Amino acid sequence: MTAAAVPQPRAENEPSAPAARGRRSSLAIALLAGALGAALVLLATSRKWAEGTASVAQGSLPQSANGDDITGLPGALAIVGLAALVAIFAVRRLGRGAVSALLALSGAGIVVSSALGATDKAALEEKASKVSGLTHSPIHDVAYTPWPWVAAAGGVLLLLAGVLALGYGRHWPAMSGRYERAGTAGTAGTVGRARTRRGGPAPDPDRPEELWKALDRGEDPTRAPARQDAERGA
């Protein structure tokens, strides 16, 4: 009669399979949302947000304003948010929390500034004043495009990435930790190879290839291993 196998308890800090999948999913979603959001904002701010007609002495002249003409805040915050998304993996603990909060705030700022710029005609009036030569030149037939709301949608994606980073970022990998583990593994491998070299058997005089390998290591294949170890220790 054989005894039943007793299941081994799982370590307290070891995450369950659903939790591990959730952390990987949150990382993938945050990276995708952050990169896509920043790209949308930068694209939208380079497009036409508003257009109208300025009255001049010769009649009327059409005017238009891009997102960067109306407000430069969304584009600047998109660059900040993208930099924060990359910096999350270069810091740990409190630093990661601060960078995650910066990412979320960048997204929120883009949403607010884009919504305010969606109905702003100050840039059109400024262009009309330059064309007419008047201090206050009216602008007529003002029309707005959907691009400000595209920028706002990009801001929402950046905000989502920041919220995910605040909630799950402490479980995400860090670049510095990966490099440290790689360096530790490389050092252990070097030490292991050195120990193998020192503790290896004496070369077989009947095998010429082992004699050549011993000569390459700076060893005398004609001497006994014990004598070689004593000379190294001296």
Side-chain angles (χ1 to χ4, degrees), residues 203 208-222 228:
E209 64 273 13
E210 293 190 5
L211 298 178
W212 284 111
K213 290 179 181 179
L215 290 173
D216 291 337
R217 294 195 298 267
E219 299 176 355
D220 187 353
T222 62
Q228 293 178 11

Side-chain angles (χ1 to χ4, degrees), residues 2 48 114:
T2 59
K48 181 168 60 179
S114 298

Side-chain angles (χ1 to χ4, degrees), residues 24-197:
R24 290 193 296 268
S25 300
S26 66
L27 174 59
I29 294 172
L31 288 174
L32 180 61
L36 180 60
L40 283 178
V41 174
L42 294 175
L43 175 65
T45 53
S46 65
R47 296 298 189 267
K48 181 168 60 179
W49 282 24
E51 57 185 356
T53 303
S55 299
V56 294
Q58 294 80 9
S60 60
L61 188 64
Q63 298 292 320
S64 63
N66 294 339
D68 291 328
D69 297 329
I70 294 177
T71 173
L73 192 57
L77 289 177
I79 296 176
V80 172
L82 190 60
L85 181 64
V86 176
I88 286 176
F89 302 96
V91 295
R92 296 183 180 183
R93 298 183 180 89
L94 294 179
R96 178 167 290 188
V99 174
S100 301
L102 177 62
L103 175 59
L105 290 175
S106 298
I110 291 172
V111 173
V112 173
S113 58
S114 298
L116 294 176
T119 56
D120 190 350
K121 61 180 182 178
L124 289 175
E125 293 176 347
E126 183 180 354
K127 288 189 173 184
S129 299
K130 291 181 180 179
V131 171
S132 63
L134 302 175
T135 305
H136 300 286
S137 180
I139 191 81
H140 307 285
D141 302 327
V142 178
Y144 300 97
T145 68
W147 284 110
W149 303 111
V150 175
V156 171
L157 291 176
L158 282 169
L159 176 60
L160 173 62
V163 171
L164 288 175
L166 285 172
Y168 298 94
R170 64 183 181 276
H171 304 298
W172 293 349
M175 290 187 297
S176 58
R178 188 181 303 117
Y179 295 151
E180 288 173 1
R181 288 193 297 270
T184 303
T187 303
T190 303
V191 173
R193 288 192 298 269
R195 289 178 177 176
T196 302
R197 182 183 303 172

Side-chain angles (χ1 to χ4, degrees), residues 3-11:
V6 179
Q8 297 296 327
R10 189 176 63 235

